[in-house]
Amino acid sequence: MAEEDKSHEGLTKGLTNYGDMDFARYLRLSFIKSTGLSTEMLNKPVIGIARTGSDFNNCHRMMPELVQAVKRGVLAAGGLPLEFPTISLGEVFLSPTSLVYRNLMAMDTEEMIRAQPMDAVVLIGGCDKTVPAQLMGAVSANVPAIQLVTGPMMTGRWRGERLGACTDCRRFWARYRAGEIDAETIAEVEGNLATTAGTCAVMGTASTMAAIGEALGIMLPGTAAIPAVHADRLRAAEASGKVAMQLALGAVTPDKIITRDSVENALITLLAIGGSTNAIIHLTAIAGRAGVDIDLARLNALSDQTPVLVDLKPTGPFYMEDLHAAGGIGAILRELKPLLHLDCLTVTGETLGQRLAHPHNYVDRAVIKAFEEPLQPQGGLVALFGNLAPRGAILKRAAADPAMFEKEGRAVVFSSLEDLSRRIDDPDLDVTADDFIVLQNAGPNSASGMPEAGYLPIPGKLARAGVKDMVRISDARMSGTAYGTIVLHVAPDAASGGPLAAVRNGDRIRISVRDKAIELLVPADEIARRIAESPPEALKVPRGYARLYQQEVLQADQGCDFNFLRKSPIER
């Protein structure tokens, strides 16, 4: 008779404490037998499947099929798949903004992985904040884990034009605000932007986080860009289930995969794909759970030597389905090999270098450029520092107008999102195309919770006059699908008393991408006087998660995580 495999704990892991462990095991097995599972199945390694389906999350519409495919893979590899729900974050359905709830989802994910008996877990996410939340939770729980994404949408067609959420959403809305198209046309466009299941069809935050997951090594090679409705997406799910079993039996935990070097690989990939500015916040939070700090000065050093290789919207003409057909993230990583740490472990058991040594014949150079012939010579993101942003601010230079990289302008200040909404289209607003639009009190400590409001609208009268871009500055975030000369994540934020709160109408501000600088041209003593004169008001949040968020949220340069959830220096 074959000896029973004891290399896993399975359903006996983490028994409920009744004061009698034998009774706890007996009771657990008696209850789970009510599901009809045989004793043979109950003795197998348990692979948890964290599912995030929700009717409030259209990006995850294919979740049931993905779960079933993962189960096939687990069963084929000799495991017992058990699915469990966690919070799901549908980007456009959450108020005030999804970032506020990312840490809550991360806590939910961590605690369910830790509390329930599983030898490994497959994390299924997709929409912007779900993947970072799952990875944050998995790193903290440190149970063998593999990430699977839902995949991007396919594009649609409208009047002979190819459309995809959500860069085209913003392009048409800007045309509508400028009076170029009417209400009937914008309503028609509305029904043709998101026509399949999946995440945004461009290099937005969801696609960027999928690419980062593959670069970190926590996701199967070649799976980040597979469209949601493609049959390969289900095959990727099945393969993820099989690999989860290998991770369980080999006890390969996230701390062996998400390391200082793999985080740097992810940063280099982010810069090369011209990815979302949100990814800096999320990757910083994921890394912080592993005890790795991301220094924005180091980001700049990497950006100066990392070329942009991908020509996708919002900065180029192509979509995620084109990237998949062109060679995917693997083709990009092969171009970046001279910059990468190739000895990093991946979920397959191979190092990154071993993975990239596999032959890959076809690359569409219209979509993925060669390292020697890049789209842009430097990385897509740059951090700016100065008296306006002592702890840094982020500019997506790949999506900005180079003519505005070295510029000084007059500040036109909006004190809140409500103030912005009330006055931005006022025909009497004192503003010109050369001014800098400044939004205050939209950062992590504000009542709005750092929404994707940094893509500030061009004032109505200027939009109607044909102005397409202006320098815009805020402590808010911006959707990865957006574009423009937009300075974001100013830290510390205005609501915590940062220098951004001291900007007044008519002040002069200077930005320099060359010098990585952003300066408020006001004497230091005057800035200090203004801040002392109008100290930030503490938000009165009486109870619940909102109170926890306000008490614990960190600034953008620390990933907007909660301080007590980051790995402490003692733990590192």
Side-chain angles (χ1 to χ4, degrees):
M1 188 175 179
E3 218 175 285
E4 188 181 355
D5 180 8
K6 296 292 187 182
S7 63
H8 62 275
E9 295 182 79
L11 286 168
T12 63
K13 180 181 181 182
L15 290 168
T16 310
N17 193 346
Y18 296 102
D20 181 339
M21 289 297 105
D22 290 333
F23 173 75
R25 183 180 185 278
Y26 155 77
L27 192 63
R28 176 174 289 178
L29 293 176
S30 68
F31 269 72
I32 199 165
K33 283 184 176 178
S34 73
T35 64
L37 290 166
S38 66
T39 300
E40 180 186 5
M41 289 300 297
L42 295 178
N43 284 329
K44 293 181 180 294
V46 174
I47 307 300
I49 304 172
R51 57 174 167 82
T52 54
S54 167
D55 286 347
F56 288 107
N57 194 338
N58 59 289
C59 301
H60 292 195
R61 184 157 59 87
M62 303 297 288
M63 189 64 59
E65 287 189 70
L66 290 172
V67 169
Q68 291 307 310
V70 171
K71 286 183 175 181
R72 288 199 303 270
V74 174
L75 290 167
L80 172 62
L82 295 177
E83 62 179 283
F84 63 97
T86 69
I87 290 170
S88 183
L89 303 178
E91 184 68 23
V92 300
F93 295 98
L94 289 160
S95 176
T97 180
S98 61
L99 182 63
V100 168
Y101 303 102
R102 182 203 63 184
N103 297 347
L104 181 62
M105 182 178 174
M107 293 167 70
D108 180 9
T109 303
E110 174 186 349
E111 298 306 333
M112 289 301 97
I113 293 172
R114 196 193 307 278
Q116 297 175 131
M118 62 190 78
D119 298 292
V121 62
V122 180
L123 309 159
I124 312 181
C127 193
D128 294 10
K129 310 306 178 293
T130 60
V131 170
Q134 289 183 318
L135 290 178
M136 290 161 69
V139 169
S140 293
N142 207 34
V143 168
I146 183 171
Q147 182 75 56
L148 171 69
V149 294
T150 58
M153 296 178 193
M154 299 285 280
T155 52
R157 300 294 185 275
W158 178 76
R159 297 187 184 181
E161 187 176 355
R162 191 179 179 200
L163 298 184
C166 200
T167 300
D168 294 323
C169 315
R170 299 176 190 286
R171 177 167 60 88
F172 276 97
W173 189 253
R175 291 183 61 193
Y176 175 63
R177 291 190 73 253
E180 296 175 12
I181 56 177
D182 59 21
E184 185 177 343
T185 303
I186 197 69
E188 192 177 323
V189 169
E190 181 184 293
N192 288 276
L193 287 163
T195 56
T196 77
T199 54
C200 286
V202 302
M203 190 55 79
T205 302
S207 296
T208 301
M209 291 311 303
I212 281 175
E214 192 169 326
L216 282 169
I218 199 74
M219 185 189 301
L220 281 183
T223 63
I226 303 170
V229 295
H230 198 297
D232 281 347
R233 176 54 61 194
L234 296 177
R235 284 185 273 270
E238 184 178 309
S240 296
K242 290 180 181 178
V243 169
M245 269 293 291
Q246 296 172 18
L247 293 171
L249 297 178
V252 181
T253 46
D255 62 345
K256 297 179 175 67
I257 294 171
I258 298 180
T259 63
R260 186 172 303 281
D261 284 350
S262 72
V263 167
E264 189 153 290
N265 286 344
L267 276 173
I268 291 167
T269 304
L270 167 61
L271 294 165
I273 63 177
S276 168
T277 50
N278 285 309
I280 286 289
I281 289 177
H282 299 319
L283 185 55
T284 299
I286 295 164
R289 297 297 184 95
V292 176
D293 294 324
I294 290 181
D295 182 355
L296 292 181
R298 178 60 179 162
L299 171 73
N300 281 342
L302 292 172
S303 190
D304 285 345
Q305 67 181 29
T306 305
V308 176
L309 302 179
V310 179
D311 202 13
L312 262 63
K313 290 194 175 196
T315 59
F318 295 106
Y319 295 86
M320 284 298 292
E321 65 195 68
D322 303 315
L323 177 62
H324 175 58
I329 301 303
I332 299 165
L333 294 175
R334 286 181 179 88
E335 294 297 327
L336 295 171
K337 275 179 71 174
L339 304 179
L340 298 174
H341 302 282
L342 299 177
D343 57 348
C344 291
L345 183 66
T346 72
V347 287
T348 64
E350 295 181 305
T351 65
L352 179 61
Q354 289 170 328
R355 174 216 162 161
L356 298 181
H358 296 172
H360 188 90
N361 298 323
Y362 177 72
V363 179
D364 184 346
R365 291 301 181 197
V367 181
I368 302 171
K369 306 299 183 183
F371 188 86
E372 299 79 14
E373 298 177 355
L375 191 68
Q376 297 177 19
Q378 295 177 308
L381 305 179
V382 62
L384 307 179
F385 297 91
N387 68 349
L388 189 55
R391 290 167 58 177
I394 299 294
L395 171 71
K396 186 174 181 177
R397 61 178 161 193
D401 182 353
M404 299 185 185
F405 283 3
E406 310 297 321
K407 188 174 174 64
E408 181 182 319
R410 181 186 66 147
V412 177
V413 181
F414 296 89
S415 61
S416 65
L417 289 165
E418 294 73 21
D419 184 32
L420 176 75
S421 179
R422 186 171 58 251
R423 294 194 295 123
I424 192 67
D425 290 332
D426 185 341
D428 295 326
L429 181 67
D430 181 13
V431 64
T432 72
D434 288 324
D435 291 334
F436 289 10
I437 304 293
V438 176
L439 173 65
Q440 301 165 325
N441 295 304
N445 282 106
S446 72
S448 57
M450 204 180 185
E452 291 185 344
Y455 182 66
L456 306 178
I458 302 297
K461 67 180 181 181
L462 297 183
R464 288 188 293 274
V467 175
K468 302 297 184 186
D469 195 12
M470 297 173 67
V471 174
R472 286 158 277 178
I473 301 169
S474 76
D475 46 10
R477 296 179 299 115
M478 175 177 81
S479 168
T481 66
Y483 47 88
T485 310
I486 300 172
V487 179
L488 304 153
H489 310 177
V490 171
D493 68 350
S496 60
L500 185 66
V503 183
R504 301 290 183 263
N505 280 316
D507 287 346
R508 305 292 294 181
I509 298 174
R510 182 170 59 233
I511 64 168
S512 172
V513 174
R514 180 191 62 235
D515 298 334
K516 316 291 194 299
I518 181 165
E519 298 287 344
L520 175 61
L521 303 181
V522 171
D525 57 349
E526 174 60 15
I527 294 173
R529 187 193 66 78
R530 291 177 183 180
I531 292 173
E533 199 174 71
S534 303
E537 290 185 26
L539 292 175
K540 294 179 175 63
V541 183
R543 60 170 300 281
Y545 174 72
R547 182 172 179 175
L548 177 67
Y549 174 89
Q550 285 297 333
Q551 289 174 342
E552 296 292 340
V553 71
L554 298 169
Q555 289 291 303
D557 63 322
Q558 292 184 294
C560 299
D561 200 358
F562 293 160
N563 192 39
F564 66 88
L565 293 175
R566 285 167 56 87
K567 183 175 273 191
S568 70
I570 296 173
E571 298 174 290
R572 298 182 185 186

